[in-house]
Amino acid sequence: MARRPDDTRGSLVFQEGKNIEGDFYIVAVYDDPATCTVSFSAYELENDCTYTYPLTYSQFDALFQYDSELMNPSNQDGRFHWVIERLDFVQDKRGQKVLCLGEEATAEFDDEEDLVEEPKKPEGGVPAASGGKIDGATRAKLLKELDTQDDAKLHAALVKSEGARKRFVAELHSKRNLEQLKASQRLQRADEEREARLAKLEIIKAQQKAKADAHKASEEAKKSTMAQLEVLMKQKEAQAIRRLIQEKNAQDRGSGKDKDAARQRRKMQERSNAEVKAIEEERAQQQARKREEQVERRAAIVLKRNRLIAEQVRDDKLKQREYQVKIREIKDAMIAEVWKQKTIERLNREEKRREFARLE
């Protein structure tokens, strides 16, 4: 049984051996109703390779629309055999061997079947002698005809075998030439693909080198920019230090006026600070008074609400107590009634017992 391909689904419905281009294959047919596909998988015995040719149901039925014998879908084995006879191999764009369907049945060559063909038996001939005697002249004539027929058969067989051998040799040479052409095409395609890959690698290397150079240039530009910024920062710091020194010297030279002005400013600032502090203290006192008033109002509201709740609770407790007392009175009345009934029943029983004792 041939190995099932990984990408082929369905159940095995037919299997047949086929010789394609001198190699023997086992062709298996898989029917997958889920995808409406019939797959023909050729399994090569020498290198354990599998080639698949899928057909949909509509494509498969279209192959036999003009064939009266295979038009009937019930003749599945005949249909599968018809397709397998026409399976052949071609090369795709990548130079790989793929399975295809030819218009005519592919030729299959066995070892010696096509070299020497069996001569057909002549339809006409000398009829076999039936019972009875024949004379010498007739016997000699019949023997001569038999010898002539044997020579003709031998000559026809030799001619046919020679023609078959020449035809086989010619087809063998054509197949070899075709295989050599296919091999040269595969080698040429492999060389082209290798050259394309090498060219692509060169392009990738050039791009990577360009990116590295650009990154290196950007890093160098960044370093130079940072160095320039550091120099500028140092210059600005030196200028600021010199300006501060100059201002300090100017302040020292005019210290008298500056001290008086500073003293006045300090007094004004202390006075303004005292006023601000007094205003803030007064505002804080007002806020404290407002807060205390709000707290007192809230406490009065809470106390009033507590009193209302206490009165409600007291009323509820009084109602509950009255209800309990009423229930207790009803219960006592019921108990008294029950005991009264029991007393009456007990007296009746004693009266009956006395009456029974009297009667005895």
Side-chain angles (χ1 to χ4, degrees), residues 61 64-65 67-73 75 77-79 82:
D61 292 335
F64 313 104
Q65 59 182 348
D67 195 333
S68 59
E69 296 181 358
L70 301 177
M71 189 181 296
N72 188 3
N75 191 8
D77 293 345
R79 287 185 167 192
W82 188 89

Side-chain angles (χ1 to χ4, degrees), residues 126 134-148:
V126 180
I134 57 174
D135 55 358
T138 305
R139 184 181 181 83
K141 185 178 180 180
L142 291 175
L143 290 173
K144 186 176 180 180
E145 289 179 358
L146 288 174
D147 292 338
T148 304

Side-chain angles (χ1 to χ4, degrees), residues 65-127:
Q65 59 182 348
Y66 300 114
D67 195 333
S68 59
E69 296 181 358
L70 301 177
M71 189 181 296
N72 188 3
S74 61
N75 191 8
Q76 288 188 357
D77 293 345
R79 287 185 167 192
F80 295 151
H81 178 71
W82 188 89
V83 174
I84 291 172
E85 281 186 340
R86 286 157 177 77
L87 291 177
D88 199 356
F89 287 105
V90 294
Q91 287 185 353
D92 58 1
K93 295 180 180 180
R94 296 177 295 178
Q96 296 181 355
K97 186 166 63 173
V98 295
L99 199 63
C100 68
L101 184 64
E103 296 181 356
E104 300 293 337
T106 55
E108 296 185 6
F109 297 98
D110 295 336
D111 295 336
E112 296 180 356
E113 290 182 359
D114 291 343
L115 293 177
V116 179
E117 298 180 356
E118 290 292 335
K120 296 182 180 179
K121 294 183 180 181
E123 297 179 356
V126 180

Side-chain angles (χ1 to χ4, degrees), residues 184-231:
S184 63
Q185 289 178 355
R186 286 195 294 269
L187 291 175
Q188 183 179 1
R189 189 175 297 279
D191 294 337
E192 292 176 355
E193 290 178 355
R194 183 169 60 254
E195 291 177 357
R197 286 196 299 270
L198 292 175
K200 190 175 181 180
L201 287 175
E202 292 295 333
I203 293 171
I204 293 172
K205 288 180 180 178
Q207 292 177 354
Q208 290 178 352
K209 186 177 180 182
K211 288 182 180 179
D213 294 339
H215 182 70
K216 187 176 180 181
S218 64
E219 289 293 331
E220 291 178 355
K222 190 182 293 184
K223 288 180 180 178
S224 63
T225 305
M226 292 297 294
Q228 292 176 1
L229 288 174
E230 289 179 358
V231 172

Side-chain angles (χ1 to χ4, degrees), residues 229-324:
L229 288 174
E230 289 179 358
V231 172
L232 291 174
M233 291 295 292
K234 289 180 180 179
Q235 291 178 357
K236 288 183 178 180
E237 290 176 358
Q239 291 175 1
I241 292 170
R242 284 196 296 270
R243 186 170 58 255
L244 290 173
I245 292 171
Q246 291 175 0
E247 291 177 355
K248 181 66 176 175
N249 293 332
Q251 289 177 2
D252 292 340
R253 284 194 296 270
S255 60
K257 295 180 180 179
D258 293 339
K259 286 181 180 179
D260 295 337
R263 192 179 298 111
Q264 293 295 329
R265 285 196 301 271
R266 189 164 52 253
K267 288 181 180 180
M268 292 294 294
Q269 188 173 3
E270 289 177 356
R271 191 181 298 113
S272 63
N273 290 335
E275 292 177 356
V276 170
K277 186 175 181 180
I279 293 171
E280 288 180 353
E281 288 179 355
E282 186 178 358
R283 186 182 299 169
Q285 291 176 1
Q286 290 178 0
Q287 290 180 355
R289 284 195 298 271
K290 290 180 179 179
R291 192 180 299 110
E292 289 177 356
E293 291 176 358
Q294 290 179 358
V295 169
E296 290 176 357
R297 286 197 298 270
R298 183 65 180 172
I301 293 170
V302 170
L303 181 61
K304 184 177 180 180
R305 188 174 296 175
N306 289 336
R307 288 176 180 175
L308 290 174
I309 293 171
E311 291 177 358
Q312 290 179 359
V313 170
R314 187 173 61 255
D315 294 340
D316 292 339
K317 286 184 177 180
L318 290 173
K319 291 179 180 180
Q320 187 70 21
R321 192 176 294 110
E322 291 175 357
Y323 178 74
Q324 293 292 335

